[in-house]
Amino acid sequence: MTMTHTRFAFVKAQWHADIVNRALDGFTEIIPAAQVDVFDVPGAFEMPLLARDLAATGRYDAVVCAAFVVDGGIYRHDFVAQSVVDGLMRAGLDTGVPVLSVSLTPHHYQETDHHNEIYRSHFVTKGREAAQAALGILKTRQSVSARSAA
């Protein structure tokens, strides 16, 4: 379904990397790893700026960002999550390149083996969904372009 020249940037926040990295696993089950350039950032808050920079290069057909934003007790995780999602949306709108979010913000996460396994598995699923969404939006945009040219 993907064309060989199609490239994707995949940005991963390193906070809870053992969980977040699983999104890339799911993503590359659908889109070949050879078509994906991977970038790490310290945390979710750093994703929108890099997403914008990557999108602006013109090298990528879509940018996907993955993070796990949990309530750390020191800051309001909902504020961080909303800022990140708003920033990612702005990056896509400003550059005209789809920027997709695989950012999960659970309200009741605890660092237990049970919760970690649940979220590792869920990130694989979300990675697959992001790949399908990326392919879907590219197909739709190509269709719109073809109709405009006709």
Side-chain angles (χ1 to χ4, degrees):
M1 184 170 186
T2 61
M3 297 178 291
T4 54
H5 67 277
T6 305
R7 295 222 50 85
F8 301 88
F10 197 100
V11 180
K12 302 183 288 111
Q14 292 302 287
W15 187 256
H16 292 284
D18 58 317
I19 294 172
V20 175
N21 290 347
R22 299 297 306 276
L24 180 60
D25 296 340
F27 191 81
T28 56
E29 286 178 14
I30 307 287
I31 294 175
Q35 291 176 239
V36 182
D37 293 336
V38 180
F39 302 88
D40 291 330
V41 292
F45 206 73
E46 291 79 22
M47 292 191 312
L49 180 62
L50 184 60
R52 186 205 61 194
D53 292 349
L54 291 167
T57 67
R59 286 193 293 257
Y60 301 105
D61 296 283
V63 178
V64 178
C65 297
F68 192 47
V69 181
V70 299
D71 187 356
I74 298 171
Y75 59 86
R76 300 245 339 237
H77 78 296
D78 51 343
F79 169 76
V80 172
Q82 188 64 55
S83 297
V84 168
V85 171
D86 289 348
L88 294 176
M89 179 61 71
R90 182 174 156 207
L93 292 172
D94 287 353
T95 62
V97 174
V99 176
L100 297 105
S101 173
V102 183
S103 299
L104 298 182
T105 60
H107 284 288
H108 302 292
Y109 170 73
Q110 297 170 5
E111 278 198 64
T112 63
D113 290 342
H114 177 70
H115 270 201
N116 286 341
E117 188 49 44
I118 288 170
Y119 286 105
R120 281 187 196 107
S121 175
H122 193 56
F123 264 83
V124 173
T125 300
K126 298 310 284 182
R128 283 188 211 113
E129 290 173 357
Q132 292 164 341
L135 294 173
I137 190 65
L138 293 180
K139 182 178 177 183
T140 299
R141 292 182 92 206
Q142 288 169 351
S143 173
V144 169
S145 291
R147 288 180 187 176
S148 297

